[in-house]
Amino acid sequence: MRKQLQALRDRMAEHDLQAYLIPTADPHGSEYVGGHFACREYISGFTGSAGTLLVFPNWAGLWTDGRYFLQAEQQLQDSGIRLMKSGEAGVPTLEAFLKKSLRPEQTLGFDGRCVDAHTGRRYYKLCKQLGAKLDSQLDLVGELWTDRPPRSCEPVWALPQAGESRRDKLARVREAMARQKAGLFLLSTLEDIAWVLNLRGGDLACTPVFLAYLAVGQNSCTLFAQTGAFPAEVLEALEEDEVFLRPYESFYPYLGRLPQDQRVLLDTRRVNTTLLTSIPPSLKVVDRPNPTIAMKAVKNPVEQANARKAHHSDGIALTRFMYWIKTQAGKQPITERSAAAKLEALRKEDPDYLQPSFDPILAYGPHGAIVHYSATQDSDAAIQAEGFLLADTGGHYRTGTTDCTRTYALGPLTAEQKTHYTAVLRGNLALAAARFKHGAAGLNLDYLARAPLWALGLDFNHGTGHGVGHLLSVHEGPQGIRARPLAGSRREAVLEAGMITSDEPGLYLDGQYGIRLENLLLCVEAQTTPFGRFLAFETLTLTPFDLDAVDPEQLQPHEKAQLNAYHAAVRAALTPHLSPEEAAWLAQATAPLP
């Protein structure tokens, strides 16, 4: 048994706790969790990016998804913690397990800063139904983690060419507050805070943001952040716009001192449990989606122009990588991880490149069938001159954020493999070519990407598209393209001109291979007629599809024309930036289909 697990149980006994919950989370609901908040990893030893640990005095279990089953089995061996394979037959959900295991008068505890308020309320209701108790103010891991890493405190920097001033963004936020008759808006999601203030940082992996909370009043704006992260010029600019900096640690005491006569706007799905419970109960809480989510999703003209620049830079790296992998596979030792390192090195040659926008997915052969596969030292497969390599990667540039998936044929393919690839490609092209009336949501368009697969009796079990931020999170709402509504969602977001959304149909055959083809699409105005406004998509991503995997006979004439036009645009944009050998290869790789 891990000594950390036993130490936690000792603390639980001191606090008379019968169950303690440790999610993979920080106080801001971030997709990536910094080392200071890696409590689940510290106790369990499991290093995967997703999972929740539940500890009882005589039992402990860790829930994680299929990406990490193999890794978790190895890392949890002899730890005293049982692996609970989420989604597998016979494995209850964590809440179902709690409902069965927690007894009346027993107490469930967790650190409320790392559980969102919406989920915290569910746990409260569950405990009430069982006659049990809940304590959401216990950071037991913090009590025993003597060498806990400090919070990250990287320098904050001003975003150049934001396209809209900080003052104007705050004015729009205050207009949204006024519509809700709210005197105060509390914001804890780091991407939204960075967007409002036109600032970026380096406190999270793959997301250029900084640790902070923001309190916006009708005549005030207070930023709670680590003061040492702010250069003098950034502080001066904030103060000029009447945004005043206070220490990060002073936020929760500030909440307890709020005036009793105002309405507070917040989103319980975005703020944490401790934040909500720190607000005096006499205040009226208005639980609505953060207005900043919809605002930042619509990119202004400057952001759109910069996004095109970022995708041009990314297209150069991606196309050079495609040339390298298709010409070198089987000729030199290449593994999934070394291929990812090669692509990262190619991106770094651009002076505007900052960092990956997510952990790269380089999945060869059967690994491609694992939708969110991440190669580890143990699973790192050797890449041969045969079969498929799925590469899902992205980058943050000073001009914007990219996300692209290509599946490469590294040797001869079977007729079935080409049929599958061509069906996925046809779905990608159909969605990219969509024209639709304003008011449509992603649910209305999803069929376009799935229809070629459905015609073959095939499908994929993930969403077709997600929003993408501007030098923020690569996975951004509120829009998405999916076959069914998200469970618990308030409503499906309408697609608006200026939104950037991914287009990524796929197909996954367990134990054989996976295919995914992803471009980013900018929603644009198409035309206005007596019947209303119509929107369309502009494809931002610039790198070839692999014609070696395409069966041209299965493409309709309009699909060939669309594919040829896309490849002509790729060729024109990238050829001047490639070596003679790469350019000659690209001309052949994008040759028009007859």
Side-chain angles (χ1 to χ4, degrees), residues 57-84:
N58 298 307
W59 185 91
L62 186 139
W63 277 256
T64 192
D65 60 63
R67 290 174 293 170
Y68 298 111
F69 287 169
L70 179 61
Q71 178 183 344
E73 284 175 350
Q74 295 171 344
Q75 294 181 330
L76 295 180
Q77 189 173 5
D78 300 323
S79 68
I81 300 169
R82 180 177 174 180
L83 172 60
M84 304 295 284

Side-chain angles (χ1 to χ4, degrees), residues 269-311:
R269 288 173 169 81
R270 302 281 177 167
V271 303
N272 65 56
T273 299
T274 299
L275 188 158
L276 182 64
T277 57
S278 296
I279 297 172
S282 58
L283 271 68
K284 169 65 176 177
V285 171
V286 183
D287 182 12
R288 296 288 186 277
N290 289 335
T292 48
I293 293 175
M295 293 177 189
K296 78 175 188 296
V298 176
K299 278 57 180 177
N300 62 52
V302 171
E303 291 172 324
Q304 294 176 32
N306 281 335
R308 295 184 186 99
K309 294 177 183 177
H311 282 84

Side-chain angles (χ1 to χ4, degrees), residues 293-376:
I293 293 175
M295 293 177 189
K296 78 175 188 296
V298 176
K299 278 57 180 177
N300 62 52
V302 171
E303 291 172 324
Q304 294 176 32
N306 281 335
R308 295 184 186 99
K309 294 177 183 177
H311 282 84
H312 183 268
S313 296
D314 210 48
I316 295 169
L318 287 165
T319 303
R320 293 181 65 200
F321 175 80
M322 182 177 178
Y323 166 76
W324 175 79
I325 195 68
K326 285 183 69 69
T327 58
Q328 296 304 309
K331 296 180 181 178
Q332 61 172 287
I334 303 173
T335 69
E336 293 165 331
R337 296 176 76 186
S338 70
K342 174 68 174 181
L343 181 49
E344 177 70 4
L346 290 170
R347 282 192 167 108
K348 284 181 176 178
E349 291 185 19
D350 190 293
D352 280 338
Y353 181 71
L354 296 174
Q355 66 184 109
S357 55
F358 57 97
D359 291 331
I361 298 171
L362 275 290
Y364 179 62
H367 286 165
I370 305 171
V371 175
H372 293 293
Y373 170 77
S374 181
T376 66

Side-chain angles (χ1 to χ4, degrees), residues 388-392 403-408 420-429 431 449 460 462 464 502-508 514-520 541 544-546 549-550 563:
F388 283 128
L389 172 67
L390 188 154
D392 185 353
D403 182 1
C404 174
T405 309
R406 287 295 184 266
T407 304
Y408 304 118
H420 290 164
Y421 184 99
T422 304
V424 174
L425 174 62
R426 292 181 63 213
N428 179 286
L429 294 173
L431 180 56
F460 54 96
H462 58 73
T464 300
S502 68
D503 169 6
E504 48 182 310
L507 177 65
Y508 311 94
I515 301 166
R516 186 162 64 251
L517 299 173
E518 176 187 18
N519 285 343
L520 295 192
T541 306
F545 294 106
D546 194 341
V550 175
L563 180 59

